[in-house]
């Protein structure tokens, strides 16, 4: 059974204070690892897909990296508008092709 | 494009009543998903469709839950009878392909009293 563990559960940062969110996963074979952002009262919004260890992707102040056991979402010089819950999900090669297993998320608060 | 549209945004009902949630996916997307989100269990996949055909409903909690997709632009998730433990946010999402990202709607907040 695929498993995803995200840490920390909550993170408070001062504006400009860089940090990283962790996503540890267990999957028999990785088809893809996804990062989503979720704002209160809204559905998750896609950020990145990573497919193989060593891959990196960037978008504005966010950078996602992937190893064989975990993924990191690095946030550089965050702003208050980056406050949200960040969700990680994995898609394994076994089982239902479109099954995504989500982590419980990291709630990020960036203080001005 | 308006994105994935769900209705209603909020639903409050009493235990035993029938609840119907509605979803309009993004035009041209072949995959449609129903997820449930709770504090305790996070986001869980209930069922997904490909080209209007249900592919995997193993996440549907029990027979009280049913989902249909009569055409490419509309899907429903029905709970009959509803129970307080069904209270959650229900999300619909669509995707243009098998490995493509998911586009989520804004969700339906369901409260069963």
């Amino acid at each position: 059974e695929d498993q995803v563990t995200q840490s920390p559960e909550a993170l408070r940062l001062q504006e400009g204070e860089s940090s990283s969110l962790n996503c540890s996963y267990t999957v028999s074979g990785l088809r893809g690892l996804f990062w989503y952002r979720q704002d209160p009262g809204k559905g998750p919004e896609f950020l990145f897909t990573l497919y193989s260890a060593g891959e990196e992707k960037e978008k504005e102040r966010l950078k996602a990296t992937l190893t064989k056991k975990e993924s990191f979402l690095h946030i550089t010089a965050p702003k208050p508008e980056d406050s949200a819950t960040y969700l990680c999900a994995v898609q394994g090669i076994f089982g239902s092709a479109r099954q995504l297993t989500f982590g419980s998320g990291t709630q990020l608060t960036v203080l001005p | 494009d308006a994105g994935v549209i769900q209705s209603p945004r909020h639903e409050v009902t009493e235990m035993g009543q029938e609840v119907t949630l509605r979803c309009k996916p993004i035009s041209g997307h072949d995959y449609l998903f129903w997820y449930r989100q709770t504090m305790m269990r996070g986001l869980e996949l209930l069922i997904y469709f490909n080209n209007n055909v249900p592919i995997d409903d193993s996440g549907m909690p029990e027979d009280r839950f049913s989902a249909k997709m009569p055409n490419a632009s509309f899907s429903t998730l029905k709970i009959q009878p509803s129970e307080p433990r069904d209270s959650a946010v229900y999300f619909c999402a669509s995707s243009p392909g098998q490995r493509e990202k998911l586009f989520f709607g804004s969700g339906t907040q369901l409260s069963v009293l």
Side-chain angles (χ1 to χ4, degrees):
Chain A
E1 182 179 335
D2 300 342
Q3 291 188 330
V4 177
T5 303
Q6 292 188 246
S7 62
E9 291 185 8
L11 181 63
R12 291 167 69 91
L13 299 173
Q14 290 295 135
E15 184 173 1
E17 179 186 2
S18 302
S19 188
S20 298
L21 313 183
N22 178 263
C23 171
S24 297
Y25 65 91
T26 302
V27 63
S28 298
L30 182 67
R31 190 187 297 267
L33 184 141
F34 300 79
W35 281 98
Y36 285 84
R37 168 190 171 129
Q38 186 173 21
D39 292 299
K42 296 187 177 181
E45 179 183 351
F46 172 80
L47 291 173
F48 304 108
T49 308
L50 302 167
Y51 294 106
S52 58
E55 189 175 0
E56 298 182 353
K57 289 197 176 170
E58 290 188 64
K59 179 181 179 181
E60 297 181 355
R61 294 176 293 281
L62 301 177
K63 178 180 176 180
T65 61
L66 180 66
T67 72
K68 290 186 177 180
K69 294 183 179 181
E70 58 192 350
S71 176
F72 291 93
L73 185 65
H74 306 281
I75 303 176
T76 301
K79 297 181 178 181
E81 53 261 43
D82 295 322
S83 297
T85 296
Y86 290 85
L87 298 168
C88 171
V90 295
Q91 185 180 34
I93 61 174
F94 297 107
S96 176
R98 287 300 286 143
Q99 177 77 17
L100 282 181
T101 301
F102 280 87
S104 55
T106 293
Q107 185 175 3
L108 174 66
T109 303
V110 182
L111 303 171
Chain B
D1 197 323
V4 176
I5 300 173
Q6 292 187 246
S7 64
R9 285 300 311 275
H10 299 90
E11 177 79 38
V12 180
T13 190
E14 293 187 348
M15 182 173 64
Q17 297 297 305
E18 177 179 297
V19 175
T20 299
L21 311 181
R22 298 171 174 80
C23 175
K24 175 180 170 55
I26 293 173
S27 177
H29 284 192
D30 294 333
Y31 288 83
L32 182 139
F33 306 80
W34 283 101
Y35 280 87
R36 178 171 67 178
Q37 187 174 42
T38 61
M39 289 293 291
M40 290 296 295
R41 300 175 67 90
L43 264 172
E44 300 175 285
L45 177 65
L46 300 177
I47 185 171
Y48 81 90
F49 297 81
N50 179 212
N51 292 323
N52 312 338
V53 176
I55 303 300
D56 185 354
D57 65 354
S58 59
M60 297 285 261
E62 47 197 276
D63 292 344
R64 298 185 296 106
F65 285 68
S66 63
K68 294 182 179 180
M69 192 165 185
N71 57 63
S73 60
F74 184 66
S75 177
T76 60
L77 178 67
K78 185 175 294 186
I79 307 173
Q80 166 63 16
S82 59
E83 296 183 3
R85 59 190 168 129
D86 301 331
S87 298
V89 181
Y90 290 80
F91 287 103
C92 176
S94 69
S95 174
Q98 192 171 25
R99 294 185 71 180
E100 298 294 327
K101 61 189 179 185
L102 301 182
F103 293 79
F104 284 82
S106 295
T108 295
Q109 173 79 57
L110 173 64
S111 297
V112 183
L113 306 178

